[in-house]
Amino acid sequence: MYKHSDRVDMELLGSHKTRATKVSIWALTGPVLVIAEKPKAARKIAEALSHKLITRKYGKIPYFEIRSSPLVVYVASTAGHLYTLHTELKGYPVFEYKWVPAHVVEEEKKYTRQYLELLSKLARECKYYVNACDYDIEGSVIGYLVIKFHGDENRAFRAKFSSLVHDELKKSFESLAPLDYDMVESGLCRHELDWIWGINVSRALMSAIYQATGKKVILSAGRVQTPTLKYVADREIERGLFTPLPQYTIKVKLKKAGIDFTAEFTENPVPEADRASRIKSSVLREKHLVVSDYTVERREISPLPPFNLSDLQYEASRILGFSPMKTQKIAEELYLEALISYPRTNSQKLPPSLNYREILHKLSDIYKYGALVSQLLRETKGILRPVEGEKEDPAHPAIYPTGNTPRNLTRDQWALYDLIVRRFIAVFAPKAVISYTRATLVAPLTSYRFTCSGITVEYPGWLAYYPFHAPSSKTIPHLTRGERVEILSVIVRESYTKPPPKLKKVDILKWMESVEVGTEATRAPIIEKLFERKYLENTKSGVKITDLGLGVVEVITGFFPELTSVDLTRAFEKLVNEVKTGVKKREHVIEEAKSVLKRLMEGFNKHISDIGVLLSSRLGIVDNYPKCSVPGCRREIYVNTLCRYHYEAYKKLREAYNEWSRRKNTSYEEYLRKLKEMNSTGALIRDVIEHFELKALREKQ
DNA sequence: GCAAGGTC
């Protein structure tokens, strides 16, 4: 490490805990190492610092040298976290851990070794250090640990910027802040809390199975994955217990000027069969309906905002059928090919400094976008003002195409790239104009009301560029208030209530985003992790939870209930923020977490053999316990001869008959037979019907 | 081997 004895410099810096003045990088008197969070950021930073930069390579990794005599500045980068928390200790609870280079302990992070070697080498040659990672708590930790282990905290600064725009970068390096210890401490605190909870509960689960069977099975639990698993479990149970109920929709067929159209009863669906048929016959007695209201509303619909990663994942799932992980992977590939901007962003805003015109111009050279771009420039008369969304990201703008020409893209890469380009073009386009026609018609004697509606795209605007939200048009005849319309017929259709739809991966992602667990970059991988653990599995129609997944949720709900709720994330956020603002010390927060975990572990350990049997039985690796009497169900008995889920189904099936028979006159046996033949009947309910209720009826006869 | 968080 650089040995310094320069008095002037120490006066300039003061003690690191107290100094508060901003320092220009150009006022420093020795070699400087600037640490960026990723290679692309390093290049942008180097370009902002000087026109005369020398690009060098360490192995395959580029770094930059700026000679501004007498100063030398090196700009190099990490590749995200180069350090990770680690322990040598086996068993649990475990509270001793330290920061170690990720490449040493994690096989799939081998590639980070060269990044660390380069930073270490440059750090030895330098006297000053600038943490220029993304300005958020993770960036603060990433840069800090490199400085701590390879540089010198006492001669270190923080560069603060919220975009990689030339002028902003330049300014931030002309007024470097002291190292941001508050952010670092809160970041370290977040890492430790996640580690303590995640590692310990995971080890406890694995240990339970090992003690019960001698088998090593990889299980896991964590602040993000466990509430997510619980969400899928709850949905799956709800579907499994779903008991469809009959309901009735009433429509009238109408005729005006030779055109047939249909109006819907405003109180649809009607629960009771007899009420529906009474309404039908009384409406039939009236020969016509009277128009009570007819409105045409023209609405201007703004373009959708530019993509952040989750919006891209939703749209790619809906339009292209891509899983969130697939979308993320392809977006990262496009980013590395310099075809799109940084994809792991939450922002729905484009930087005002971006040269929209230049990007559009470059896009128009890509054969399929030429026509779209010239249409856009015509329609907007060249005034390019993008629509923005609400969501922001401290470190990155929304996703946009760079305008570089794609070469040798795969079909999937093209499809995603096309979506991104179209969405980008559409944000500049005019609003769409859509007219909604709505009529209300009243039966004169009974006052029953019916409605019908039409929709027409008057002017496509942005929908011409991004057509995936264009409504399909539907027309109804023009009507006048007070007008009589002839009734052709009245139709009553019997249908059944619908279960909540089966989840797809993207629905899980949406839920995670809505409750704010995980981050842009981690949600899709964490969903995949639940599959890897065999907690979830894929079926043709969507995601299904396994018996193991249900068992893990039951055990964690019983012994570590905090971990099944997104409230733990909220609690962490509060603590991490209190550390950031200096209200609490990291050490105290961690001590508190340890004592909570210790107490919970004692409760777990008291029941570890039962837990081990439960998890092992769900895995199918033990068999010597009393099982639920539903054939094929390997869950342990909960009440009488049934597991907890089949017992719930048994109760639900009987309860639902009351409501069913109120709606429609049906014998219990008919009810059972009808439920059995319907696809929407929950699997648990179906099991109980097939194996108990129908069997019992047959035996009675 | 286990988390969640960065990024190749």
Side-chain angles (χ1 to χ4, degrees):
Chain A
M1 192 167 304
Y2 192 93
K3 291 273 179 285
H4 74 98
S5 55
D6 193 327
R7 270 184 151 175
V8 178
D9 288 346
M10 288 319 284
E11 275 165 24
L12 174 72
L13 288 166
S15 147
H16 75 262
K17 292 285 180 196
T18 55
R19 69 176 200 254
T21 43
K22 300 285 176 85
V23 178
S24 169
I25 191 169
W26 308 115
L28 298 176
T29 54
V32 187
L33 173 59
V34 173
I35 303 159
E37 190 163 319
K38 44 189 166 289
K40 290 220 164 133
R43 172 176 293 279
K44 292 259 191 186
I45 289 166
E47 285 168 354
L49 288 176
S50 170
H51 304 293
K52 292 180 292 179
L53 55 96
I54 307 161
T55 304
R56 300 203 184 280
K57 283 226 161 163
Y58 177 82
K60 284 181 177 172
I61 299 166
Y63 66 101
F64 307 93
E65 187 177 316
I66 294 158
R67 297 198 163 266
S68 169
S69 189
L71 197 60
V72 184
V73 177
Y74 296 103
V75 185
S77 86
T78 67
H81 284 289
L82 300 182
Y83 282 82
T84 189
L85 288 171
H86 181 70
T87 187
E88 299 289 333
L89 301 177
K90 305 281 175 210
Y92 72 92
V94 55
F95 298 121
E96 281 173 53
Y97 45 79
K98 56 178 197 254
W99 287 99
V100 300
H103 68 81
V104 176
V105 294
E106 285 176 51
E107 184 63 30
E108 66 275 23
K109 295 200 175 140
K110 280 256 187 287
Y111 71 92
T112 62
R113 182 176 158 179
Q114 287 216 305
Y115 286 87
L116 193 57
E117 276 178 4
L118 167 62
L119 287 164
S120 175
K121 176 174 99 76
L122 294 174
R124 279 192 296 273
E125 295 172 26
C126 286
K127 178 173 175 187
Y128 296 108
Y129 307 93
V130 178
N131 180 1
C133 295
D134 294 353
Y135 191 53
D136 50 31
I137 67 171
E138 296 301 331
S140 292
V141 169
I142 292 168
Y144 169 74
L145 291 175
V146 172
I147 293 167
K148 176 182 159 82
F149 291 121
H150 301 276
D152 187 335
E153 293 179 48
N154 292 312
R155 294 193 303 277
F157 301 91
R158 183 73 163 114
K160 300 181 179 181
F161 47 83
S162 59
S163 76
L164 295 175
V165 175
H166 193 280
D167 287 352
E168 192 184 346
L169 285 171
K170 227 173 145 216
K171 261 187 217 152
S172 93
F173 280 88
E174 281 162 9
S175 73
L176 295 171
L179 218 48
D180 51 343
Y181 281 97
D182 301 338
M183 291 272 273
V184 171
E185 282 295 304
S186 65
L188 297 174
C189 186
R190 202 280 305 151
H191 278 267
E192 293 182 44
L193 286 173
D194 272 326
W195 193 93
I196 288 173
W197 276 87
I199 300 296
N200 280 299
V201 176
S202 299
R203 285 186 177 184
L205 294 174
M206 288 185 277
S207 171
I209 290 189
Y210 185 71
Q211 288 183 32
T213 66
K215 290 210 161 60
K216 290 189 175 173
V217 181
I218 297 177
L219 298 180
S220 63
R223 172 179 56 85
V224 178
Q225 63 171 265
T226 304
T228 304
L229 181 63
K230 169 83 158 49
Y231 168 70
V232 180
D234 289 347
R235 283 287 297 252
E236 184 86 1
I237 294 164
E238 194 186 345
R239 276 179 57 84
L241 293 175
F242 185 78
T243 315
L245 293 168
Q247 59 181 11
Y248 302 87
T249 48
I250 303 166
K251 289 179 183 179
V252 272
K253 281 217 161 155
L254 301 162
K255 190 172 193 173
K256 149 123 199 219
I259 303 169
D260 290 4
F261 65 107
T262 312
E264 296 246 1
F265 185 41
T266 51
E267 292 167 46
N268 276 345
V270 175
E272 303 85 2
D274 53 352
R275 174 152 187 263
S277 69
R278 280 200 308 275
I279 294 168
K280 175 179 171 170
S281 43
S282 63
V283 173
L284 266 179
R285 265 179 258 129
E286 321 207 24
K287 296 284 180 285
H288 60 262
L289 298 181
V290 177
V291 178
S292 71
D293 201 28
Y294 179 82
T295 55
V296 181
E297 190 194 351
R298 282 163 57 94
R299 241 182 270 165
E300 294 191 328
I301 312 287
S302 291
L304 290 167
F307 278 136
N308 62 16
L309 181 59
S310 36
D311 290 342
L312 178 64
Q313 284 167 318
Y314 303 157
E315 290 288 80
S317 172
R318 186 175 71 89
I319 298 159
L320 305 170
F322 290 1
S323 75
M325 195 64 239
K326 178 170 176 173
T327 298
Q328 185 168 335
K329 201 173 147 282
I330 295 175
E332 278 159 13
E333 290 160 4
L334 296 173
Y335 164 69
L336 292 174
E337 291 291 317
L339 296 174
I340 63 168
S341 64
Y342 187 79
R344 299 180 208 101
T345 173
N346 184 40
S347 173
Q348 296 172 320
K349 298 178 196 300
L350 292 173
S353 54
L354 198 62
N355 191 337
Y356 306 133
R357 190 169 308 276
E358 188 188 332
I359 292 174
L360 288 167
H361 183 74
K362 285 165 88 176
L363 285 174
S364 68
D365 286 344
I366 301 165
Y367 72 101
K368 56 193 281 190
Y369 302 120
L372 281 185
V373 170
S374 40
Q375 186 185 338
L376 180 80
L377 295 174
R378 232 183 2 260
E379 270 198 307
T380 57
K381 302 189 176 70
I383 299 165
L384 299 173
R385 207 172 294 130
V387 158
E388 291 194 331
E390 291 290 309
K391 290 182 181 157
E392 290 182 303
D393 187 302
H396 307 284
I399 302 171
Y400 58 88
T402 56
N404 291 341
T405 304
R407 304 204 190 282
N408 306 321
L409 295 190
T410 64
R411 247 178 68 186
D412 287 347
Q413 287 172 331
W414 252 120
L416 197 73
Y417 178 75
D418 186 57
L419 215 56
I420 293 167
V421 171
R422 286 175 175 279
R423 181 81 160 221
F424 175 74
I425 296 176
V427 301
F428 302 101
K431 293 175 180 175
V433 181
I434 296 177
S435 71
Y436 298 85
T437 314
R438 195 174 163 81
T440 306
L441 302 100
V442 181
L445 301 175
T446 54
S447 299
Y448 289 132
R449 293 155 64 81
F450 295 82
T451 59
C452 58
S453 57
I455 185 165
T456 318
V457 178
E458 305 272 348
Y459 176 64
W462 61 276
L463 290 170
Y465 306 88
Y466 191 82
F468 314 106
H469 286 260
S472 42
S473 68
K474 183 191 165 204
T475 52
I476 58 171
H478 183 83
L479 301 169
T480 324
R481 197 173 298 176
E483 177 179 358
R484 293 167 149 212
V485 183
E486 184 192 348
I487 296 176
L488 294 180
S489 59
V490 180
I491 301 153
V492 174
R493 197 173 65 89
E494 183 182 63
S495 64
Y496 294 88
T497 54
K498 292 265 171 295
K502 194 147 201 166
L503 293 173
K504 298 200 179 309
K505 286 178 179 177
V506 75
D507 300 312
I508 303 174
L509 187 91
K510 274 189 184 171
W511 177 81
M512 294 172 83
E513 200 196 9
S514 73
V515 297
E516 296 180 308
V517 297
T519 67
E520 291 291 317
T522 60
R523 286 175 193 136
I526 286 175
I527 293 169
E528 295 304 318
K529 187 169 281 183
L530 296 173
F531 284 82
E532 215 175 285
R533 298 277 177 267
K534 298 192 162 58
Y535 294 166
L536 302 181
E537 56 190 26
N538 263 319
T539 67
K540 288 147 282 161
S541 52
V543 176
K544 187 177 174 301
I545 194 162
T546 62
D547 265 347
L548 176 63
L550 279 175
V552 166
V553 169
E554 288 164 35
V555 169
I556 298 177
T557 304
F559 298 97
F560 308 99
E562 292 90 335
L563 203 52
T564 63
S565 160
V566 298
D567 296 347
L568 192 63
T569 291
R570 301 291 94 83
F572 276 26
E573 283 165 353
K574 186 162 180 281
L575 291 169
V576 164
N577 201 44
E578 284 172 341
V579 171
K580 188 155 72 188
T581 54
V583 176
K584 281 205 168 90
K585 282 251 166 291
R586 168 165 59 101
E587 291 76 12
H588 296 154
V589 172
I590 299 306
E591 281 311 313
E592 177 66 24
K594 287 179 188 172
S595 85
V596 170
L597 248 310
K598 265 186 201 152
R599 181 172 53 75
L600 295 173
M601 285 298 167
E602 282 165 18
F604 182 94
N605 286 338
K606 271 188 208 145
H607 297 89
I608 193 162
S609 59
D610 293 342
I611 297 167
V613 170
L614 185 145
L615 292 176
S616 314
S617 71
R618 298 298 176 85
L619 268 167
I621 53 181
V622 302
D623 214 20
N624 52 341
Y625 58 95
K627 275 194 265 318
C628 175
S629 54
V630 170
C633 180
R634 13 182 346 109
R635 288 184 290 260
E636 64 290 346
I637 283 176
Y638 180 68
V639 171
N640 297 330
T641 68
L642 294 176
C643 72
R644 62 165 77 204
Y645 302 107
H646 282 119
Y647 175 66
E648 281 302 317
Y650 178 77
K651 284 197 299 184
K652 174 87 188 289
L653 180 65
R654 300 212 150 197
E655 279 166 21
Y657 178 62
N658 294 332
E659 175 60 16
W660 180 296
S661 52
R662 192 184 73 78
R663 294 180 174 213
K664 181 188 185 182
N665 184 18
T666 313
S667 72
Y668 190 60
E669 187 177 354
E670 279 176 289
Y671 163 72
L672 295 177
R673 293 196 188 286
K674 183 66 195 171
L675 285 181
K676 193 183 162 203
E677 82 185 26
M678 270 192 288
N679 285 329
S680 59
T681 304
L684 295 164
I685 297 283
R686 190 187 300 277
D687 287 343
V688 174
I689 293 172
E690 277 175 36
H691 301 297
F692 297 97
E693 295 297 87
L694 281 176
K695 207 184 263 177
L697 279 171
R698 276 196 294 272
E699 278 159 16
K700 235 192 256 173
Q701 281 158 6

